[in-house]
Amino acid sequence: MHPMRAASRAAALRTDLASAATAAECVPPLAGLIEIASELRCEGGGGAENARPILDEVLVYLRAARARPSAEGRSGVDETAAVLYLEAEAFLLRDAEVGPVSDLDNAIECLRWLRAMLPDDTDERAEADAKLVSAALTRAGRAGGSLADVDE
């Protein structure tokens, strides 16, 4: 993606995000920013470095969105599931190992919460299961990884 196009799309999404009053209204622009970051990472070169600030920003909003009440006064299951899914996706894309808890660990935690929320035998549950298995296997294969991850 051309840097000017990415900047223009990101600016439009940030405008939408600034006007969002509920967590549900935050989901589409945050998903768009994650898509931009993903495209930047796929480009290689400095793409991953350019994606990181976007993912940092998205994660701040997602944490706030999870705590923000919905239009009905409490967070609905659907919007909480959407926010958890996006949070896991952003952590998986950023995948930094700095800090006391790695992004991979945070993604796995989000996916566990998401999995617990979703009913069995749904496409959403199958997708959460697949992402959780992939993340757990990635963590098991890293230095200091645990075979306990494989049991998950």
Side-chain angles (χ1 to χ4, degrees):
M1 170 184 301
H2 190 276
M4 291 299 287
R5 183 167 176 247
S8 174
R9 278 183 56 204
L13 291 166
R14 286 181 178 115
T15 299
D16 293 345
L17 194 55
S19 66
T22 65
E25 292 173 0
C26 291
V27 169
L30 289 170
L33 287 169
I34 290 171
E35 182 181 340
I36 290 169
S38 177
E39 291 172 9
L40 288 170
R41 283 186 57 90
C42 289
E43 287 179 359
E49 291 174 18
N50 294 331
R52 185 171 178 80
I54 294 171
L55 293 169
D56 291 343
E57 175 184 9
V58 164
L59 286 164
V60 168
Y61 272 103
L62 286 167
R63 288 184 193 118
R66 212 168 2 127
R68 182 184 297 179
S70 69
E72 298 83 37
R74 64 182 240 295
S75 185
V77 171
D78 288 344
E79 69 187 47
T80 300
V83 168
L84 280 170
Y85 179 85
L86 291 176
E87 196 171 349
E89 192 67 29
F91 278 128
L92 289 170
L93 281 170
R94 191 173 73 169
D95 196 19
E97 292 190 34
V98 296
V101 180
S102 76
D103 284 341
L104 186 57
D105 292 337
N106 284 325
I108 288 170
E109 191 66 26
C110 288
L111 290 167
R112 285 178 177 152
W113 290 333
L114 179 61
R115 185 178 185 278
M117 292 179 64
L118 299 172
D120 293 341
D121 300 326
T122 62
D123 291 341
E124 292 83 6
R125 174 69 178 265
E127 186 173 351
D129 286 344
K131 284 193 175 289
L132 180 56
V133 167
S134 176
L137 288 172
T138 299
R139 186 168 66 181
R142 289 193 175 165
S146 169
L147 290 179
D149 285 326
V150 178
D151 290 336
E152 185 150 7

